[in-house]
Amino acid sequence: MTNISKKSFHILNPRLDPNFKAIFTQNTKASKIALKSFLSAAIGRDVKEAVVVQNEDAALYNFQRAVDYDINCEFADGTKAQVEMQGFDQQYDYGKRAEYYAARLVSSVMEVGDDWNSVAQAYQISVLDFAFDRGNTNPIHHYQMADLSDGARLSGRLNVIFMELPKLPKLTSVEEVKNLPTLLKWCKFLKEADNPGSQDLIREIVRSEDGIMNAKDTLEKISDDGWRWVIQGQIEGKKRDYTSGLLAAERRGRAAGLEQGIKEGLEQGMHQNAVETAKKLLAEGIAPEMIAKCCSIPLEEVLKLKTES
């Protein structure tokens, strides 16, 4: 593999929510091609047109409340899809969560007085950077409502699709890329695009799929935005805070009660991380009001930090 120094390699992590969403929701031809390609590979049929239904500003990330950066789409035939990137296991039952969102998508299709035959398909698509089903080595799962005894399906309108990136097969040469299904190529791209040591593999994947080539072009362009690197550092810090908070809470919990220890450990670490990010954004000249919203800390505290700097 090509040896690229970390200093010369400047690509954002596509497995973090705001970066993932930005790849597919830019108002550019490249971003739209990437989205249609990814959706086609995920659901197993050609998507001619997909309109993104914006559900929040892609330029902001609410750290403390952990807003989900979903990509909500509607196809030309009325099919609806919701795409999520989950960068780390937050210790809740993700399967139940996915079922709920899929059911909500199906119910949102119907209008009063509609015939049941008008119900379009709905897809809840999740890219997971952790193993959901640890007892199964398959990285791709497509769930539908089916009979437990013989596998007979109902209407097939409700679909839940999981892509578990840690389970992807390891490739020993770029030649193996040619035999990969398109969806696995997408997963490999998302898993390895920011890895300096995997760029030979990424180039081969990009050459083989036009949609992924457009995704890479978009990822490279957004990687030139300095504020996105500040946000990425904040998210990565949040993940470390979460892990450290749990460990600290376990220790305190033995003496003071586990629940209170978890709360204090997480809140303290996350707030300090938000303050450090606010200082960096102030240095970049970002408006205090924007910083307060972005970092979920009071405007008064941001203004105080500005006077102290």
Side-chain angles (χ1 to χ4, degrees), residues 201-226:
L201 169 65
I202 294 301
R203 278 191 288 272
E204 188 64 29
I205 291 175
V206 166
R207 280 196 291 264
S208 68
E209 295 293 337
D210 183 61
I212 301 178
M213 178 186 68
N214 283 275
K216 184 174 185 291
D217 288 345
T218 302
L219 180 60
E220 289 177 346
K221 288 179 180 178
I222 66 173
S223 294
D224 289 334
D225 296 333

Side-chain angles (χ1 to χ4, degrees), residues 280-305:
K280 294 177 182 178
L281 293 175
L282 282 170
E284 293 286 335
I286 306 298
E289 293 79 9
M290 175 82 68
I291 296 173
K293 182 178 180 182
C294 185
C295 296
S296 292
I297 58 179
L299 177 59
E300 295 77 10
E301 187 171 357
V302 178
L303 293 173
K304 183 179 179 181
L305 291 172

Side-chain angles (χ1 to χ4, degrees), residues 140-187:
I140 309 295
H141 290 278
H142 188 149
Y143 303 99
Q144 289 183 337
M145 294 184 68
D147 186 278
L148 294 177
S149 62
D150 59 14
R153 296 184 303 168
L154 289 178
S155 68
R157 292 297 188 265
L158 190 153
N159 298 265
V160 173
I161 299 172
F162 283 177
M163 308 170 200
E164 301 173 63
L165 300 185
K167 295 182 181 179
L168 292 173
K170 293 184 178 180
L171 303 181
T172 58
S173 70
V174 295
E175 291 298 318
E176 296 180 76
V177 171
K178 299 177 182 179
N179 299 320
L180 283 180
T182 301
L183 185 54
L184 285 183
K185 289 180 182 179
W186 266 107
C187 291

Side-chain angles (χ1 to χ4, degrees), residues 19-288:
N19 301 338
F20 178 84
K21 180 172 183 177
I23 292 172
F24 298 108
T25 60
Q26 304 297 305
N27 189 25
T28 63
K29 181 179 179 180
S31 190
K32 293 175 182 178
I33 291 173
L35 178 62
K36 287 189 289 184
S37 172
F38 176 79
L39 290 172
S40 297
I43 70 175
R45 63 182 175 90
D46 189 28
V47 175
K48 298 295 184 182
E49 193 64 41
V51 178
V52 175
V53 181
Q54 196 78 7
N55 61 350
E56 77 278 311
D57 191 341
L60 296 179
Y61 186 84
N62 189 325
F63 307 107
Q64 290 186 317
R65 285 183 286 178
V67 171
D68 296 313
Y69 273 74
D70 305 332
I71 304 173
N72 294 324
C73 310
E74 185 169 346
F75 303 172
D77 63 358
T79 298
K80 290 195 174 184
Q82 180 190 66
V83 185
E84 287 192 306
M85 177 72 234
Q86 287 292 316
F88 68 109
D89 189 354
Q90 300 187 49
Q91 305 299 316
Y92 52 65
D93 193 330
Y94 194 80
K96 293 178 181 177
R97 184 177 187 274
E99 284 182 323
Y100 168 76
Y101 280 119
R104 190 175 68 173
L105 273 177
V106 171
S107 64
S108 69
V109 173
M110 293 293 289
E111 299 287 346
V112 176
D114 281 352
D115 183 85
W116 288 114
N117 291 324
S118 66
V119 178
Q121 286 187 306
Y123 295 87
Q124 202 287 331
I125 303 168
S126 294
V127 182
L128 308 178
D129 201 21
F130 60 89
F132 169 73
D133 184 355
R134 299 182 183 279
N136 190 311
T137 59
N138 186 4
I140 309 295
H141 290 278
H142 188 149
Y143 303 99
Q144 289 183 337
M145 294 184 68
D147 186 278
L148 294 177
S149 62
D150 59 14
R153 296 184 303 168
L154 289 178
S155 68
R157 292 297 188 265
L158 190 153
N159 298 265
V160 173
I161 299 172
F162 283 177
M163 308 170 200
E164 301 173 63
L165 300 185
K167 295 182 181 179
L168 292 173
K170 293 184 178 180
L171 303 181
T172 58
S173 70
V174 295
E175 291 298 318
E176 296 180 76
V177 171
K178 299 177 182 179
N179 299 320
L180 283 180
T182 301
L183 185 54
L184 285 183
K185 289 180 182 179
W186 266 107
C187 291
K188 274 291 185 182
F189 168 76
L190 293 170
K191 184 65 175 175
E192 302 290 346
D194 59 323
N195 181 357
S198 298
Q199 293 312 295
D200 287 344
L201 169 65
I202 294 301
R203 278 191 288 272
E204 188 64 29
I205 291 175
V206 166
R207 280 196 291 264
S208 68
E209 295 293 337
D210 183 61
I212 301 178
M213 178 186 68
N214 283 275
K216 184 174 185 291
D217 288 345
T218 302
L219 180 60
E220 289 177 346
K221 288 179 180 178
I222 66 173
S223 294
D224 289 334
D225 296 333
W227 65 268
R228 290 188 183 274
W229 288 94
V230 177
I231 298 300
Q232 175 165 304
Q234 171 67 19
I235 299 172
E236 291 171 342
K238 176 190 171 185
K239 292 171 65 174
R240 289 190 292 269
D241 291 341
Y242 183 85
T243 302
S244 299
L246 287 178
L247 294 174
E250 289 178 0
R251 292 192 294 268
R252 288 194 299 273
R254 297 187 184 98
L258 181 59
E259 183 176 352
Q260 184 62 28
I262 290 176
K263 181 179 179 181
E264 292 176 359
L266 291 177
E267 289 182 352
Q268 181 179 357
M270 292 170 68
H271 180 74
Q272 184 57 40
N273 203 4
V275 168
E276 293 303 317
T277 297
K279 292 178 180 179
K280 294 177 182 178
L281 293 175
L282 282 170
E284 293 286 335
I286 306 298

